[in-house]
Amino acid sequence: MQWPGTQQHLEEDGITVRDALQWISGNLAQNNFENPNSNAEQLLCWVLSCRRVDLHLAPDRRLAHNHILTLKESLRRRLAHTPLQYITGTSQFLDFDLTVNDGVFIPRPETEILVEETIKKLRTVSSIDDRDIFIDMCTGCGNVAVALAKTFPTAHVYATDISSEALSVAEENCEMYGLSQCISFLCGDLFKPLQGIGIQGNVKAVVCNPPYIVTSEIENLAPEVRDFEPRLALYGGEDGLDVLRRVIVEAPLFLRRNGLLALEVGWGQAPLVRQRMIDAGDFKEIELIEDLSGIERVVLGRVRGTSTDRHRFKSM
């Protein structure tokens, strides 16, 4: 990593914002990183605690020595494929920022579609009041739970995850937006921590972004994902559907009449998940939603009547 200027220049006068941007983006481009200019801007904004526009309003601003040291270390980590979000400790989701670390999965644009479609469906049925309950399964950093609570502040979200480390991050994000009264976090395997708390048959929506990457695809993933993101949040078994199958079976026990199940799925999995929901016999109005690349990424379905009705339906 070659720095612009002389060593004396670096130690006594620092380098300018313009120099730093060129240096970071140049190193990333040389190593075939995508979006080197955007990466450079985000790293420098984080180091200087400023906005992107500030970089371009003051390109001749000189960096202090401590900023240079932090920038050197940050670029070293990025060149080693550490995800940018883990370096800065933040990730944007929808229109808000979240705290993230290497104990949680980094939120993706596909999950924004999951949340947007869920909110759209909930708004078409009826108003949301303080008796309404949502479940955010596999909450990770809490991005889905926070988005639902921000949108429907009178409802209550139960967010579960098998990772206590992830739940600590999710709780931090919840507190950041003053939503502690709106979200309850429970540690455990899928629906297990929700049993016996009196919400079975009363939930308006179950939303789940589960691990769904096929085991055989692990080595083909980008190093940022394969080597840094928690495998517990990524891999869904030989066909990627291990968790999704369980959610489809167990969600109807918690959902009320016409309750919504909203699932994020991997490439090519949507038709298989839809068929699973059809075979289960508990769901109607099943829809597949595409992402911006035309990939079917979200599966939505409503449950048939109450749990008693569904039992009667299956017995006929």
Side-chain angles (χ1 to χ4, degrees), residues 130 132-142 144-146 148-150 152-163 166-175 178-188 190-191 193-194 197 199 203 207:
D130 57 9
D132 285 320
I133 298 170
F134 306 139
I135 294 174
D136 171 26
M137 195 69 49
C138 308
T139 192
C141 70
V144 173
V146 169
L148 290 173
K150 282 167 64 69
F152 304 114
T154 59
H156 195 84
V157 182
Y158 288 89
T160 72
D161 202 289
I162 199 169
S163 167
L167 287 177
S168 295
V169 177
E171 288 176 345
E172 182 179 344
N173 285 319
C174 172
E175 292 169 2
L179 298 170
S180 297
Q181 300 301 313
C182 305
I183 307 175
S184 296
F185 293 98
L186 300 99
C187 189
L190 297 180
F191 291 94
L194 298 169
I197 64 172
I199 66 171
V203 176
V207 187

Side-chain angles (χ1 to χ4, degrees), residues 18-307:
R18 182 187 294 107
D19 291 335
L21 287 173
Q22 291 174 350
W23 175 73
I24 301 168
S25 61
N27 273 277
L28 293 172
Q30 278 186 342
N31 287 274
N32 301 314
F33 279 75
E34 294 183 357
N35 306 313
N37 293 335
S38 176
N39 272 237
E41 289 175 342
Q42 292 181 67
L43 280 175
L44 193 52
C45 282
W46 172 67
V47 169
L48 298 178
S49 300
C50 71
R51 302 168 301 166
R52 177 179 176 274
V53 67
D54 295 329
L55 301 179
H56 300 284
L57 287 174
D60 295 319
R61 171 186 174 183
R62 293 197 176 276
L63 276 63
H65 184 63
N66 63 309
H67 291 150
I68 293 173
L69 294 178
T70 303
L71 204 55
K72 278 185 175 182
E73 174 60 15
S74 300
L75 181 59
R76 183 197 64 77
R77 293 180 64 195
R78 187 69 189 102
L79 289 171
H81 293 281
T82 303
L84 186 64
Q85 294 89 339
Y86 289 163
I87 296 173
T88 65
T90 60
S91 179
Q92 187 173 38
F93 185 74
L94 294 170
D95 60 349
F96 55 92
D97 291 328
L98 294 163
T99 294
V100 295
N101 61 30
D102 59 10
V104 298
F105 181 69
I106 298 168
R108 302 300 204 270
E110 294 83 2
T111 310
E112 295 183 355
I113 296 173
L114 173 70
V115 171
E116 289 167 346
E117 292 296 328
T118 297
I119 291 171
K120 189 186 306 181
K121 284 292 182 184
L122 291 172
R123 282 176 167 162
T124 60
V125 177
S126 62
S127 60
I128 306 296
D129 58 38
D130 57 9
R131 295 168 296 177
D132 285 320
I133 298 170
F134 306 139
I135 294 174
D136 171 26
M137 195 69 49
C138 308
T139 192
C141 70
N143 52 311
V144 173
V146 169
L148 290 173
K150 282 167 64 69
T151 306
F152 304 114
T154 59
H156 195 84
V157 182
Y158 288 89
T160 72
D161 202 289
I162 199 169
S163 167
S164 58
E165 185 177 0
L167 287 177
S168 295
V169 177
E171 288 176 345
E172 182 179 344
N173 285 319
C174 172
E175 292 169 2
M176 187 192 323
Y177 291 101
L179 298 170
S180 297
Q181 300 301 313
C182 305
I183 307 175
S184 296
F185 293 98
L186 300 99
C187 189
D189 187 18
L190 297 180
F191 291 94
K192 285 185 179 179
L194 298 169
Q195 295 172 358
I197 64 172
I199 66 171
Q200 287 183 256
N202 294 313
V203 176
K204 193 155 192 171
V206 172
V207 187
C208 183
N209 175 22
Y212 54 67
I213 294 177
V214 178
T215 304
S216 61
E217 295 177 355
I218 292 176
E219 295 307 316
N220 297 326
L221 295 173
E224 283 85 350
V225 179
R226 183 191 64 225
D227 299 336
F228 290 93
E229 298 201 56
R231 296 201 167 193
L232 190 64
L234 294 173
Y235 304 125
E238 291 187 4
D239 62 358
L241 303 180
D242 284 0
V243 177
L244 285 160
R245 276 191 286 266
R246 292 177 56 198
V247 173
I248 289 168
V249 170
E250 298 176 32
L253 301 175
F254 286 83
L255 289 165
R256 68 193 199 189
R257 183 190 299 271
N258 293 319
L260 178 70
L261 176 61
L263 303 170
E264 181 178 328
V265 300
W267 182 87
Q269 294 175 347
L272 300 174
V273 171
R274 174 175 56 188
Q275 190 59 51
R276 282 278 174 180
M277 292 172 70
I278 292 171
D279 293 343
D282 291 316
F283 297 93
K284 60 181 182 178
E285 301 176 25
I286 301 171
E287 297 180 49
L288 308 184
I289 307 296
E290 296 180 350
D291 63 16
L292 297 177
S293 299
I295 299 171
E296 292 172 330
R297 187 66 72 173
V298 173
V299 182
L300 304 171
R302 295 194 182 279
V303 293
R304 299 176 181 273
T306 64
S307 57

